[in-house]
Amino acid sequence: MGGQKKELKKGWTTGTCAQAATRAAAEFLLMGVKREKIKVYIPTGQRIELPVEEYKTVKSEKNGKLMEVTCGIRKYSGDDPDITNGVMVYSTVSLTEGEDIAIDGGEGIGRVTK
């Protein structure tokens, strides 16, 4: 009775996972840097590091140049889990034919389908 309360493990929001996936994909596509973990800032100003679980790439059929990278980050809800805990959050960064950059949420959580 009256013991110390255990601090809950903090998780990552869906938005933080999307931000991390986008940064990982952009760094690989634009700079050739493929990271196992990616650092991002959260609204509190803290910088956290999330593991990048998946990399998918698409190369140009014309010249073999890397044109698109999709990265996946697994959502972790900490000690206050919700239905999104453990779900992959994807982001795709691609170069258009005119060398513009396009960013799009990938399949899965947060994607509106209807």
Side-chain angles (χ1 to χ4, degrees):
M1 294 174 59
Q4 289 182 322
K5 289 185 179 182
K6 179 183 165 193
E7 187 173 327
L8 295 176
K9 291 180 187 171
K10 294 176 175 47
W12 311 307
T13 66
T14 303
T16 297
C17 293
Q19 172 192 4
T22 302
R23 180 172 182 170
E27 284 190 9
F28 188 44
L29 178 66
L30 302 173
M31 297 183 293
V33 178
K34 186 175 183 180
R35 301 189 189 280
E36 290 183 25
K37 293 184 177 185
I38 193 79
K39 292 179 182 177
V40 295
Y41 286 97
I42 59 175
T44 63
Q46 292 176 288
R47 192 170 186 188
I48 63 171
E49 193 172 54
L50 284 70
V52 183
E53 281 198 30
E54 289 185 39
Y55 279 91
K56 299 175 190 171
T57 59
V58 174
K59 292 186 177 183
S60 169
E61 291 182 16
K62 293 179 186 175
N63 60 15
K65 180 179 177 182
L66 187 60
M67 296 299 292
E68 181 177 288
V69 176
T70 299
C71 286
I73 304 284
R74 187 167 306 278
K75 174 88 164 33
Y76 172 64
S77 297
D79 282 341
D80 188 18
D82 61 14
I83 196 163
T84 63
N85 190 49
V87 175
M88 293 296 291
V89 178
Y90 294 94
S91 182
T92 300
V93 179
S94 55
L95 292 174
T96 65
E97 292 298 324
E99 298 291 319
D100 291 326
I101 298 169
I103 300 172
D104 189 20
E107 63 185 56
I109 189 168
R111 171 63 85 185
V112 176
T113 59
K114 294 185 181 183

